[in-house]
Amino acid sequence: MTIEVPTERIAFPDGFAWGSAACAHQTEGGNWNSDWWEWEHRPGTPCIEVSGDAIDHYNRYDSDFELLASLGHNAHRFGIEWARIEPEPGEISKAALDHYARVIESLHRNNLTPFMTLHHFSSPRWFAAEGGWASETAVDRFRRFAEVVAKRLEVPFVCTINEPQIVAQIGYQGTGFPPGAGENYLFGPVTRNFIASHGAAVEVFKEHQPSAQIGLVLATADYQAANEESVKLRDRVHHRMVGVYHDALRTGVFTGFGDDEELRGVGGTSDFVGVNYYTRTVIDVNERGNAQMPKPGAETTQMGYEVVPECFVTVLKLAHEKTGLPVYVTENGIGTDDDHQRVRFIARHLTAVRQAIDEGADVRGYMYWCPMDNFEWTFGFSRTFGLIAVDRTTFERTPKPSASYFAEICRANAIDPVVTASYLES
Ligand code: FCB
């Protein structure tokens, strides 16, 4: 059954977290000591433009948070930049830590519950030069960074690593993200290092900041089999991309991919699982496992993703069932220049969240991706997911109608069909 724009009022549980999610590299600007900056400037880079000043969030965070608070949000997911905090191995920038302490203060002042992400795709250049996530030292390096942060930056919620699967897939197996290794065999060891690094960060926070709720943020497409013959392949792909993380979160054990090592004590004491959801992936063994493109006529986005809110129900339920943990939607959003499409997208996807809750998933919050149009990795500034537009020369912020629509939902803790209709008509 498809999920349409709701025609009845839909309310959310008391205390539901409402906000948006952003990332340091995509918003701060001037992140020159990171592997991503180097990647953007490398000859032959797949990036269509550089991040440059991004949206100057490094300087404008305070007024940005004030704006988000005025738009009804009560939570905010933000990232800190490892390359700024630890510019050389073991060398800690007190100034960078002080900056992020002020960022956290500003969030509290604006009544936005901080969800702090330690790693969101970008790493320090020195970490990349050591071999990045494929290196034998990766876990110890990340543990040391996490410890510095845990001792200084106090927050109620910590997201250790954002979408490790995407980095393993696109950066190590593929060539689209740094380091662009293009080596299939690296997927396993990189996945292992990510899971172990999550576990290390959990340990460190439990020791130095036991009040923080700590979790991992997963990319969670709904993996579907195009036909009966593709079910086995679908299961294998799902296990490699998502299942191993679910298992590690539930049991504390990373079982490898059947042929390699087992790793114990890796995150079994996590407090929540973060779900990032955008679309489904259809696996077809007859097309050499390639995902089918959306069928002709399907609604799509600037990223070419198919809009399928029904699949959101599936991934939320699965995340809860497989990990036994509370779930936060740490990202869900749409790149589009049609703001009515964004309003429809939000209404339908929140209906899916409510359905997942009704069917047993313990979902406790929803963070729209993303507050402001920003640097969308290889696509530069060409993809507009934001609730708020940003003028690239003046950095002026202009909320879109969808920002006001989302504000109505946040304030009411509910979707109102009359309000929704008014935004779709205007
Ligand atoms: C997610 C990333 C985020 C952004 C959105 C569109 O995979 O975590 O940084 O690129 O997609």
Side-chain angles (χ1 to χ4, degrees), residues 26 120-121 162-163 276 278 303 331 369 376-377 385:
Q26 293 176 269
H120 192 135
F121 293 174
N162 179 75
E163 299 191 347
N276 291 357
Y278 290 91
M303 302 291 275
E331 286 181 29
W369 179 273
E376 182 50 43
W377 309 110
F385 283 81

Side-chain angles (χ1 to χ4, degrees), residues 106-117:
S106 170
L107 287 167
H108 284 303
R109 216 172 27 251
N110 286 294
N111 296 317
L112 298 167
T113 301
F115 284 69
M116 176 171 76
T117 307

